[in-house]
Amino acid sequence: MSGATAEAQVLGFAEALAVVLGHAAGVRPAGLEQVALLASAGRVLAEEMAADRDQPPFDRAARDGFAVRAEEFSGGRRLTVAGQVRAGEAWAGEALQSGSAIEIMTGAAVPPRADAVAMIEHVEQRGAEVWAAPGRSLAVGENVVARGSEARRGDVLLATGTAMDAAEIALAAACGRADLAAYKRPAVAIVATGDELVELEETPGEQQIRNSNSYALAALVAGAGGQPARLEIARDTLEDVRERIAEGRTSGLLLLSGGVSAGKYDLVEQVLAELGAEFFFTGVRMQPGKPVVFGRLPKLEDASGAWPECYFFGLPGNPVSTQVTFHCFVQPMLRVMCGAGVAGPRFVQATLAEDVLSKAGLTRLLPALLRHDLERPGVRLVGWQGSGDLAANARSNCYAVLPDGRDLKAGDVITVLLR
Ligand code: AMP
Ligand code: MG
Protein backbone atom coordinates (compact mmCIF):
# COMPACT_ATOMS: atom_id res chain seq x y z
CA MET A 1 0.00 0.00 0.00
CA SER A 2 1.38 3.41 -0.87
CA GLY A 3 1.83 6.08 1.75
CA ALA A 4 0.59 6.22 5.32
CA THR A 5 -2.74 4.62 6.03
CA ALA A 6 -4.85 3.17 8.78
CA GLU A 7 -3.45 0.52 11.05
CA ALA A 8 -4.73 -2.77 9.79
CA GLN A 9 -7.56 -4.14 11.88
CA VAL A 10 -8.65 -7.43 10.42
CA LEU A 11 -11.57 -9.01 12.23
CA GLY A 12 -13.37 -12.31 12.12
CA PHE A 13 -16.73 -12.30 10.40
CA ALA A 14 -18.93 -12.43 13.50
CA GLU A 15 -16.75 -9.84 15.21
CA ALA A 16 -17.08 -7.46 12.24
CA LEU A 17 -20.87 -7.88 12.22
CA ALA A 18 -20.95 -7.04 15.92
CA VAL A 19 -18.85 -3.92 15.35
CA VAL A 20 -21.25 -2.64 12.69
CA LEU A 21 -24.30 -3.37 14.84
CA GLY A 22 -22.65 -1.64 17.77
CA HIS A 23 -22.25 1.52 15.75
CA ALA A 24 -25.70 1.20 14.21
CA ALA A 25 -27.16 1.18 17.72
CA GLY A 26 -25.87 4.72 18.22
CA VAL A 27 -27.24 6.13 14.95
CA ARG A 28 -30.46 8.15 14.85
CA PRO A 29 -32.71 8.17 11.82
CA ALA A 30 -33.16 11.32 9.75
CA GLY A 31 -36.21 13.50 10.25
CA LEU A 32 -39.68 12.46 9.31
CA GLU A 33 -42.12 13.50 6.64
CA GLN A 34 -45.74 12.84 5.82
CA VAL A 35 -46.15 10.40 2.93
CA ALA A 36 -49.13 8.99 1.05
CA LEU A 37 -50.07 5.49 2.19
CA LEU A 38 -48.78 3.67 -0.89
CA ALA A 39 -45.61 5.74 -0.96
CA SER A 40 -44.84 4.32 2.49
CA ALA A 41 -43.99 0.90 1.00
CA GLY A 42 -40.36 0.18 1.82
CA ARG A 43 -40.22 3.06 4.30
CA VAL A 44 -40.20 2.98 8.09
CA LEU A 45 -43.09 4.28 10.14
CA ALA A 46 -42.25 7.35 12.24
CA GLU A 47 -45.37 7.38 14.40
CA GLU A 48 -47.47 5.03 16.48
CA MET A 49 -50.44 3.98 14.41
CA ALA A 50 -53.51 3.32 16.50
CA ALA A 51 -56.84 1.71 15.68
CA ASP A 52 -59.45 4.37 14.90
CA ARG A 53 -62.22 2.01 16.02
CA ASP A 54 -62.71 -1.47 17.37
CA GLN A 55 -61.67 -4.25 15.02
CA PRO A 56 -63.88 -5.81 14.03
CA PRO A 57 -66.23 -2.88 14.63
CA PHE A 58 -69.15 -5.27 15.24
CA ASP A 59 -69.60 -8.97 16.02
CA ARG A 60 -68.75 -10.34 12.60
CA ALA A 61 -69.97 -13.56 11.02
CA ALA A 62 -67.01 -15.59 9.85
CA ARG A 63 -69.13 -17.93 7.73
CA ASP A 64 -72.18 -17.98 5.55
CA GLY A 65 -74.96 -19.72 7.46
CA PHE A 66 -77.47 -19.00 10.20
CA ALA A 67 -77.18 -16.82 13.27
CA VAL A 68 -78.65 -18.85 16.13
CA ARG A 69 -78.56 -19.54 19.86
CA ALA A 70 -75.87 -22.22 20.10
CA GLU A 71 -77.74 -24.14 22.77
CA GLU A 72 -80.93 -24.38 20.71
CA PHE A 73 -79.04 -25.41 17.59
CA SER A 74 -76.99 -28.04 19.42
CA GLY A 75 -80.14 -29.41 21.04
CA GLY A 76 -81.45 -30.23 17.57
CA ARG A 77 -84.28 -27.75 17.73
CA ARG A 78 -86.08 -26.84 14.52
CA LEU A 79 -85.56 -23.11 14.04
CA THR A 80 -87.73 -20.80 11.97
CA VAL A 81 -85.81 -18.51 9.63
CA ALA A 82 -86.83 -14.97 10.53
CA GLY A 83 -85.01 -13.19 7.72
CA GLN A 84 -81.64 -12.49 6.23
CA VAL A 85 -78.75 -10.14 6.99
CA ARG A 86 -76.05 -9.37 4.45
CA ALA A 87 -72.55 -7.89 4.77
CA GLY A 88 -72.77 -4.13 5.11
CA GLU A 89 -76.31 -4.26 6.44
CA ALA A 90 -77.65 -3.89 9.93
CA TRP A 91 -80.28 -6.45 11.00
CA ALA A 92 -83.45 -4.43 10.80
CA GLY A 93 -85.68 -6.78 12.78
CA GLU A 94 -85.91 -7.34 16.50
CA ALA A 95 -83.40 -9.37 18.52
CA LEU A 96 -83.29 -13.07 17.73
CA GLN A 97 -86.28 -14.82 19.26
CA SER A 98 -86.11 -18.18 20.90
CA GLY A 99 -86.81 -20.87 18.29
CA SER A 100 -85.66 -18.81 15.33
CA ALA A 101 -82.59 -18.32 13.16
CA ILE A 102 -81.46 -15.52 10.87
CA GLU A 103 -79.73 -16.28 7.62
CA ILE A 104 -76.38 -14.48 7.61
CA MET A 105 -73.54 -13.87 5.17
CA THR A 106 -69.80 -13.77 5.89
CA GLY A 107 -68.82 -10.31 7.06
CA ALA A 108 -72.31 -9.34 8.25
CA ALA A 109 -73.02 -8.13 11.77
CA VAL A 110 -74.43 -10.87 13.98
CA PRO A 111 -77.92 -9.79 15.16
CA PRO A 112 -78.56 -9.17 18.86
CA ARG A 113 -79.12 -12.30 21.05
CA ALA A 114 -77.61 -14.62 18.45
CA ASP A 115 -74.48 -16.13 20.01
CA ALA A 116 -73.07 -18.27 17.20
CA VAL A 117 -73.26 -18.86 13.48
CA ALA A 118 -74.01 -22.31 12.13
CA MET A 119 -72.19 -22.70 8.85
CA ILE A 120 -74.41 -23.50 5.92
CA GLU A 121 -72.63 -26.81 5.34
CA HIS A 122 -73.66 -27.99 8.83
CA VAL A 123 -77.35 -27.20 8.49
CA GLU A 124 -80.35 -29.03 7.09
CA GLN A 125 -83.13 -26.94 5.71
CA ARG A 126 -86.72 -27.53 4.68
CA GLY A 127 -88.86 -24.58 3.72
CA ALA A 128 -88.52 -21.91 6.40
CA GLU A 129 -87.01 -24.33 8.94
CA VAL A 130 -83.39 -25.14 9.69
CA TRP A 131 -81.75 -27.51 12.15
CA ALA A 132 -78.38 -29.10 12.84
CA ALA A 133 -77.23 -31.75 10.38
CA PRO A 134 -76.64 -35.16 12.05
CA GLY A 135 -73.71 -35.03 14.47
CA ARG A 136 -73.37 -31.25 14.28
CA SER A 137 -73.39 -28.96 17.26
CA LEU A 138 -72.26 -25.43 17.95
CA ALA A 139 -70.39 -23.72 20.78
CA VAL A 140 -71.20 -20.22 21.95
CA GLY A 141 -69.16 -17.78 19.87
CA GLU A 142 -68.42 -20.24 17.11
CA ASN A 143 -67.95 -18.58 13.71
CA VAL A 144 -68.34 -15.16 15.28
CA VAL A 145 -65.41 -12.75 15.58
CA ALA A 146 -66.37 -10.61 18.56
CA ARG A 147 -66.27 -6.84 18.29
CA GLY A 148 -62.86 -5.53 19.38
CA SER A 149 -61.31 -9.00 19.59
CA GLU A 150 -58.66 -8.13 17.01
CA ALA A 151 -58.01 -4.64 18.36
CA ARG A 152 -59.64 -2.05 20.58
CA ARG A 153 -60.06 1.52 19.47
CA GLY A 154 -56.88 3.38 20.43
CA ASP A 155 -54.69 0.26 20.59
CA VAL A 156 -51.31 0.82 18.97
CA LEU A 157 -51.26 -1.53 16.00
CA LEU A 158 -47.98 -0.44 14.39
CA ALA A 159 -45.08 0.77 16.50
CA THR A 160 -42.69 3.52 15.49
CA GLY A 161 -39.88 1.86 13.57
CA THR A 162 -42.08 -0.68 11.80
CA ALA A 163 -41.04 -1.47 8.22
CA MET A 164 -43.98 -0.74 5.98
CA ASP A 165 -44.92 -3.52 3.61
CA ALA A 166 -48.17 -4.87 2.20
CA ALA A 167 -49.35 -6.26 5.57
CA GLU A 168 -48.77 -2.94 7.35
CA ILE A 169 -50.23 -0.91 4.50
CA ALA A 170 -53.38 -3.04 4.59
CA LEU A 171 -53.70 -2.47 8.33
CA ALA A 172 -53.20 1.29 7.93
CA ALA A 173 -55.82 1.31 5.18
CA ALA A 174 -58.21 -0.53 7.49
CA CYS A 175 -57.66 2.30 9.96
CA GLY A 176 -58.49 4.88 7.34
CA ARG A 177 -54.98 6.27 7.02
CA ALA A 178 -54.48 7.87 3.61
CA ASP A 179 -51.08 9.13 4.73
CA LEU A 180 -48.66 8.61 7.55
CA ALA A 181 -45.41 9.86 9.03
CA ALA A 182 -42.35 8.02 7.69
CA TYR A 183 -38.66 8.59 8.25
CA LYS A 184 -36.87 10.41 5.48
CA ARG A 185 -34.80 8.30 3.17
CA PRO A 186 -31.12 8.86 3.98
CA ALA A 187 -28.93 10.10 1.13
CA VAL A 188 -26.21 7.59 0.31
CA ALA A 189 -23.29 8.59 -1.90
CA ILE A 190 -21.84 5.92 -4.15
CA VAL A 191 -18.32 6.27 -5.50
CA ALA A 192 -16.75 3.69 -7.80
CA THR A 193 -13.00 3.87 -8.08
CA GLY A 194 -10.84 2.45 -10.85
CA ASP A 195 -8.79 3.48 -13.89
CA GLU A 196 -10.32 0.59 -15.84
CA LEU A 197 -13.93 1.67 -15.40
CA VAL A 198 -16.20 3.23 -18.01
CA GLU A 199 -19.78 4.37 -17.66
CA LEU A 200 -22.63 2.72 -19.53
CA GLU A 201 -22.85 5.47 -22.11
CA GLU A 202 -19.30 4.76 -23.25
CA THR A 203 -18.02 1.94 -25.41
CA PRO A 204 -15.45 0.10 -23.34
CA GLY A 205 -12.00 -0.43 -24.78
CA GLU A 206 -10.84 -4.02 -24.80
CA GLN A 207 -9.19 -3.76 -21.36
CA GLN A 208 -11.90 -1.65 -19.82
CA ILE A 209 -14.74 -2.71 -17.53
CA ARG A 210 -18.19 -1.22 -17.24
CA ASN A 211 -18.97 0.34 -13.89
CA SER A 212 -21.57 -2.15 -12.78
CA ASN A 213 -20.93 -1.69 -9.05
CA SER A 214 -22.47 1.77 -8.92
CA TYR A 215 -25.66 0.29 -10.31
CA ALA A 216 -25.60 -2.71 -7.99
CA LEU A 217 -25.10 -0.41 -5.01
CA ALA A 218 -27.74 2.08 -6.14
CA ALA A 219 -30.28 -0.74 -6.46
CA LEU A 220 -29.29 -2.19 -3.09
CA VAL A 221 -29.47 1.21 -1.39
CA ALA A 222 -32.88 1.97 -2.87
CA GLY A 223 -34.10 -1.50 -1.90
CA ALA A 224 -32.98 -0.95 1.69
CA GLY A 225 -34.82 2.38 1.87
CA GLY A 226 -32.01 4.85 1.11
CA GLN A 227 -31.71 7.46 -1.58
CA PRO A 228 -28.72 6.61 -3.76
CA ALA A 229 -26.58 9.23 -5.48
CA ARG A 230 -24.11 7.79 -7.99
CA LEU A 231 -21.13 10.11 -8.17
CA GLU A 232 -18.65 10.26 -11.01
CA ILE A 233 -16.03 7.52 -11.18
CA ALA A 234 -12.90 8.31 -9.21
CA ARG A 235 -9.74 7.42 -11.08
CA ASP A 236 -6.91 5.81 -9.16
CA THR A 237 -5.17 9.08 -8.34
CA LEU A 238 -5.02 10.76 -4.96
CA GLU A 239 -6.56 13.95 -6.40
CA ASP A 240 -9.55 12.17 -7.88
CA VAL A 241 -10.21 9.99 -4.84
CA ARG A 242 -9.91 13.06 -2.57
CA GLU A 243 -12.30 15.03 -4.69
CA ARG A 244 -14.95 12.33 -4.81
CA ILE A 245 -14.76 11.57 -1.09
CA ALA A 246 -15.08 15.29 -0.38
CA GLU A 247 -18.23 15.29 -2.45
CA GLY A 248 -19.62 12.08 -0.99
CA ARG A 249 -19.00 12.78 2.68
CA THR A 250 -21.74 15.39 2.80
CA SER A 251 -24.22 12.48 2.55
CA GLY A 252 -25.45 10.44 5.47
CA LEU A 253 -23.46 7.43 4.34
CA LEU A 254 -20.59 7.04 1.89
CA LEU A 255 -20.05 3.85 -0.08
CA LEU A 256 -16.87 3.36 -2.05
CA SER A 257 -16.18 0.45 -4.32
CA GLY A 258 -12.73 -0.71 -5.27
CA GLY A 259 -9.35 0.62 -4.25
CA VAL A 260 -9.30 -1.01 -0.82
CA SER A 261 -7.06 -4.00 -1.56
CA ALA A 262 -3.31 -4.04 -1.04
CA GLY A 263 -2.42 -2.94 -4.57
CA LYS A 264 -0.21 0.01 -5.45
CA TYR A 265 -3.17 2.00 -6.78
CA ASP A 266 -5.56 1.20 -3.96
CA LEU A 267 -5.72 4.70 -2.53
CA VAL A 268 -9.05 4.81 -0.75
CA GLU A 269 -7.81 4.07 2.77
CA GLN A 270 -4.91 6.47 2.37
CA VAL A 271 -7.20 9.35 1.47
CA LEU A 272 -9.65 8.51 4.23
CA ALA A 273 -6.78 8.41 6.74
CA GLU A 274 -5.56 11.81 5.52
CA LEU A 275 -9.01 13.21 6.19
CA GLY A 276 -8.84 12.03 9.78
CA ALA A 277 -11.06 8.97 9.45
CA GLU A 278 -11.46 6.52 12.30
CA PHE A 279 -11.28 2.95 11.09
CA PHE A 280 -13.28 0.27 12.89
CA PHE A 281 -12.00 -2.49 10.67
CA THR A 282 -9.86 -2.60 7.56
CA GLY A 283 -10.48 -6.20 6.63
CA VAL A 284 -12.62 -9.18 7.57
CA ARG A 285 -11.69 -12.86 7.46
CA MET A 286 -14.35 -13.65 4.90
CA GLN A 287 -14.50 -14.63 1.28
CA PRO A 288 -15.53 -12.88 -0.85
CA GLY A 289 -15.11 -9.48 0.75
CA LYS A 290 -11.85 -9.72 2.67
CA PRO A 291 -10.61 -6.14 2.06
CA VAL A 292 -13.84 -4.47 3.29
CA VAL A 293 -13.30 -1.30 5.33
CA PHE A 294 -15.63 0.34 7.82
CA GLY A 295 -15.09 3.69 9.47
CA ARG A 296 -16.25 7.20 10.15
CA LEU A 297 -15.17 10.61 8.91
CA PRO A 298 -15.29 13.53 11.31
CA LYS A 299 -17.87 16.24 11.03
CA LEU A 300 -17.30 18.92 8.41
CA GLU A 301 -17.23 22.52 9.62
CA ASP A 302 -20.34 23.44 7.68
CA ALA A 303 -22.11 20.09 7.96
CA SER A 304 -25.83 20.28 8.29
CA GLY A 305 -28.42 17.56 8.23
CA ALA A 306 -29.19 14.66 10.49
CA TRP A 307 -25.81 13.09 11.01
CA PRO A 308 -22.91 14.73 12.73
CA GLU A 309 -20.43 12.29 11.20
CA CYS A 310 -20.24 10.39 7.96
CA TYR A 311 -19.95 6.64 8.24
CA PHE A 312 -18.29 5.02 5.25
CA PHE A 313 -17.76 1.57 3.87
CA GLY A 314 -14.90 0.81 1.49
CA LEU A 315 -16.23 -2.20 -0.38
CA PRO A 316 -13.96 -4.42 -2.44
CA GLY A 317 -14.31 -3.79 -6.18
CA ASN A 318 -14.96 -7.34 -7.27
CA PRO A 319 -18.65 -7.22 -8.05
CA VAL A 320 -19.76 -10.20 -5.97
CA SER A 321 -17.61 -9.00 -3.06
CA THR A 322 -19.23 -5.59 -3.33
CA GLN A 323 -22.70 -7.06 -3.09
CA VAL A 324 -21.97 -9.61 -0.37
CA THR A 325 -20.33 -6.99 1.84
CA PHE A 326 -23.26 -4.65 1.25
CA HIS A 327 -25.71 -7.29 2.50
CA CYS A 328 -23.55 -8.15 5.51
CA PHE A 329 -22.47 -4.73 6.74
CA VAL A 330 -24.05 -1.82 4.87
CA GLN A 331 -27.64 -3.02 4.94
CA PRO A 332 -27.89 -3.24 8.76
CA MET A 333 -26.40 0.25 9.17
CA LEU A 334 -28.56 1.74 6.43
CA ARG A 335 -31.75 0.24 7.87
CA VAL A 336 -31.09 2.00 11.17
CA MET A 337 -30.53 5.29 9.33
CA CYS A 338 -33.91 4.63 7.70
CA GLY A 339 -35.51 4.39 11.15
CA ALA A 340 -35.69 0.61 11.58
CA GLY A 341 -34.40 -1.10 14.71
CA VAL A 342 -30.94 -2.60 14.95
CA ALA A 343 -30.96 -5.99 13.25
CA GLY A 344 -28.32 -8.12 11.63
CA PRO A 345 -28.31 -9.33 8.05
CA ARG A 346 -31.10 -11.66 6.96
CA PHE A 347 -29.72 -15.04 7.98
CA VAL A 348 -31.91 -18.11 7.83
CA GLN A 349 -31.16 -21.81 8.06
CA ALA A 350 -31.49 -24.31 5.26
CA THR A 351 -30.55 -27.88 4.51
CA LEU A 352 -27.51 -28.29 2.33
CA ALA A 353 -28.12 -30.43 -0.75
CA GLU A 354 -24.49 -31.42 -1.37
CA ASP A 355 -21.12 -31.88 0.31
CA VAL A 356 -19.05 -28.69 0.51
CA LEU A 357 -15.41 -28.18 1.48
CA SER A 358 -14.59 -25.19 3.61
CA LYS A 359 -11.42 -23.12 3.89
CA ALA A 360 -9.52 -22.65 7.11
CA GLY A 361 -9.37 -19.13 8.49
CA LEU A 362 -12.26 -17.72 6.49
CA THR A 363 -16.03 -17.51 6.63
CA ARG A 364 -17.17 -18.07 3.07
CA LEU A 365 -20.36 -16.65 1.62
CA LEU A 366 -20.88 -18.38 -1.68
CA PRO A 367 -23.57 -17.71 -4.28
CA ALA A 368 -26.24 -20.35 -3.78
CA LEU A 369 -29.72 -21.26 -4.79
CA LEU A 370 -32.34 -21.69 -2.12
CA ARG A 371 -35.20 -23.84 -3.39
CA HIS A 372 -38.54 -23.03 -1.90
CA ASP A 373 -40.12 -26.47 -2.34
CA LEU A 374 -42.81 -27.18 0.22
CA GLU A 375 -41.52 -30.65 1.01
CA ARG A 376 -37.78 -30.24 0.73
CA PRO A 377 -36.55 -26.68 0.84
CA GLY A 378 -32.81 -26.85 0.45
CA VAL A 379 -29.79 -24.92 -0.69
CA ARG A 380 -27.03 -25.77 -3.13
CA LEU A 381 -24.07 -23.81 -4.39
CA VAL A 382 -24.04 -22.22 -7.81
CA GLY A 383 -20.89 -22.91 -9.87
CA TRP A 384 -18.83 -19.75 -10.21
CA GLN A 385 -15.55 -18.37 -11.41
CA GLY A 386 -14.89 -16.35 -8.29
CA SER A 387 -15.86 -12.98 -6.96
CA GLY A 388 -15.91 -11.28 -10.36
CA ASP A 389 -18.60 -13.63 -11.68
CA LEU A 390 -21.70 -11.46 -12.00
CA ALA A 391 -23.48 -14.06 -14.14
CA ALA A 392 -23.19 -16.74 -11.45
CA ASN A 393 -24.25 -14.20 -8.87
CA ALA A 394 -27.40 -13.49 -10.85
CA ARG A 395 -28.14 -17.24 -11.10
CA SER A 396 -28.07 -17.40 -7.30
CA ASN A 397 -30.70 -16.07 -4.90
CA CYS A 398 -28.75 -16.16 -1.62
CA TYR A 399 -25.30 -16.79 -0.16
CA ALA A 400 -24.48 -20.00 1.68
CA VAL A 401 -22.45 -19.23 4.79
CA LEU A 402 -19.67 -21.77 5.24
CA PRO A 403 -18.12 -21.56 8.66
CA ASP A 404 -14.39 -21.28 9.07
CA GLY A 405 -12.66 -24.61 8.49
CA ARG A 406 -15.54 -27.05 8.88
CA ASP A 407 -16.39 -29.28 5.91
CA LEU A 408 -20.07 -29.78 5.38
CA LYS A 409 -22.10 -32.77 4.27
CA ALA A 410 -25.29 -33.00 2.29
CA GLY A 411 -28.15 -32.84 4.81
CA ASP A 412 -26.33 -30.51 7.19
CA VAL A 413 -28.32 -27.48 8.25
CA ILE A 414 -26.38 -24.34 7.38
CA THR A 415 -26.85 -20.60 7.61
CA VAL A 416 -27.89 -18.77 4.47
CA LEU A 417 -27.77 -15.03 3.86
CA LEU A 418 -30.91 -13.86 2.10
CA ARG A 419 -30.86 -10.86 -0.13
P1 AMP B 1 -10.23 -3.40 -6.83
O1 AMP B 1 -10.98 -3.72 -5.59
O2 AMP B 1 -10.21 -1.98 -7.17
O3 AMP B 1 -8.85 -4.02 -6.77
O4 AMP B 1 -10.98 -4.15 -8.00
C1 AMP B 1 -11.11 -5.55 -7.99
C2 AMP B 1 -11.78 -6.04 -9.26
O5 AMP B 1 -13.09 -5.52 -9.33
C3 AMP B 1 -11.10 -5.63 -10.54
O6 AMP B 1 -11.16 -6.72 -11.44
C4 AMP B 1 -11.95 -4.49 -11.02
O7 AMP B 1 -11.89 -4.32 -12.41
C5 AMP B 1 -13.32 -4.85 -10.57
N1 AMP B 1 -14.10 -3.65 -10.32
C6 AMP B 1 -13.71 -2.61 -9.55
N2 AMP B 1 -14.65 -1.65 -9.54
C7 AMP B 1 -15.67 -2.09 -10.31
C8 AMP B 1 -16.90 -1.52 -10.70
N3 AMP B 1 -17.29 -0.33 -10.26
N4 AMP B 1 -17.71 -2.24 -11.49
C9 AMP B 1 -17.32 -3.45 -11.92
N5 AMP B 1 -16.16 -4.04 -11.60
C10 AMP B 1 -15.32 -3.37 -10.81
MG1 MG C 1 -9.30 -0.78 -8.44
Side-chain angles (χ1 to χ4, degrees):
M1 203 171 298
S2 57
T5 184
E7 243 176 84
Q9 300 170 63
V10 179
L11 305 184
F13 182 60
E15 235 181 320
L17 286 176
V19 164
V20 171
L21 294 182
H23 281 277
V27 169
R28 300 277 150 265
L32 45 88
E33 60 190 350
Q34 206 65 15
V35 299
L37 180 57
L38 272 182
S40 74
R43 304 277 292 255
V44 176
L45 190 65
E47 60 168 305
E48 284 188 336
M49 202 210 65
D52 66 327
R53 57 182 184 154
D54 290 350
Q55 287 186 13
F58 48 83
D59 294 337
R60 179 178 64 204
R63 301 280 188 187
D64 295 316
F66 293 88
V68 296
R69 303 281 304 166
E71 195 187 359
E72 292 182 355
F73 182 85
S74 300
R77 187 153 171 193
R78 306 240 157 184
L79 304 169
T80 307
V81 180
Q84 185 195 69
V85 58
R86 299 163 51 161
E89 283 180 354
W91 170 243
E94 51 192 22
L96 187 77
Q97 299 296 296
S98 186
S100 49
I102 296 166
E103 190 177 12
I104 193 163
M105 309 302 154
T106 301
V110 175
R113 272 201 86 247
D115 62 12
V117 169
M119 55 195 279
I120 190 96
E121 295 86 345
H122 294 179
V123 163
E124 308 235 315
Q125 186 166 15
R126 191 181 319 123
E129 275 191 341
V130 292
W131 63 94
R136 298 296 180 184
S137 65
L138 203 52
V140 170
E142 212 173 322
N143 301 322
V144 178
V145 185
R147 174 177 179 158
S149 62
E150 294 165 354
R152 289 280 180 200
R153 179 189 172 151
D155 283 355
V156 174
L157 298 180
L158 296 175
T160 303
T162 300
M164 295 298 295
D165 210 334
E168 294 75 21
I169 287 173
L171 184 56
C175 292
R177 297 298 303 271
D179 55 38
L180 21 93
Y183 289 107
K184 287 185 177 160
R185 291 158 45 125
V188 180
I190 295 167
V191 176
T193 71
D195 283 337
E196 74 280 31
L197 302 179
V198 296
E199 286 298 6
L200 295 197
E201 301 71 30
E202 300 165 66
T203 307
E206 207 165 332
Q207 321 304 331
Q208 292 181 313
I209 298 292
R210 291 197 178 94
N211 174 16
S212 58
N213 282 348
S214 285
Y215 288 87
L217 291 173
L220 289 167
V221 164
Q227 227 168 351
R230 286 181 300 113
L231 307 191
E232 236 177 87
I233 294 168
R235 299 304 166 191
D236 293 321
T237 65
L238 286 171
E239 298 68 42
D240 232 32
V241 174
R242 279 185 192 129
E243 208 172 291
R244 219 59 77 235
I245 289 179
E247 203 182 328
R249 72 186 293 193
T250 59
S251 295
L253 184 64
L254 171 61
L255 304 182
L256 297 128
S257 102
V260 288
S261 309
K264 204 168 178 183
Y265 298 100
D266 291 323
L267 307 173
V268 166
E269 275 169 80
Q270 189 185 333
V271 171
L272 289 166
E274 267 176 28
L275 295 170
E278 288 174 85
F279 291 88
F280 306 124
F281 55 74
T282 57
V284 175
R285 287 186 289 275
M286 65 189 288
Q287 185 195 50
K290 199 156 178 279
V292 60
V293 173
F294 172 47
R296 186 165 62 183
L297 279 164
K299 186 183 169 76
L300 286 175
E301 283 293 304
D302 58 348
S304 56
W307 294 285
E309 289 135 329
C310 177
Y311 278 98
F312 61 79
F313 290 91
L315 307 177
N318 263 313
V320 184
S321 313
T322 313
Q323 294 176 45
V324 167
T325 49
F326 180 96
H327 291 292
C328 293
F329 305 118
V330 183
Q331 199 264 4
M333 173 61 87
L334 183 50
R335 289 300 292 155
V336 173
M337 297 176 79
C338 291
V342 178
R346 300 202 306 149
F347 293 125
V348 296
Q349 296 214 300
T351 305
L352 193 59
E354 62 194 335
D355 294 356
V356 176
L357 297 179
S358 69
K359 274 193 187 171
L362 286 170
T363 301
R364 303 180 83 195
L365 293 104
L366 302 184
L369 202 57
L370 188 60
R371 294 179 51 119
H372 303 286
D373 297 354
L374 177 62
E375 297 300 331
R376 277 188 67 87
V379 65
R380 66 176 176 79
L381 300 187
V382 166
W384 74 328
Q385 299 302 317
S387 53
D389 194 344
L390 276 170
N393 188 55
R395 284 196 298 274
S396 73
N397 61 6
C398 66
Y399 301 100
V401 181
L402 311 184
D404 180 348
R406 184 158 58 81
D407 291 343
L408 299 167
K409 293 257 168 280
D412 284 354
V413 173
I414 64 159
T415 298
V416 165
L417 173 63
L418 297 181
R419 60 182 200 225

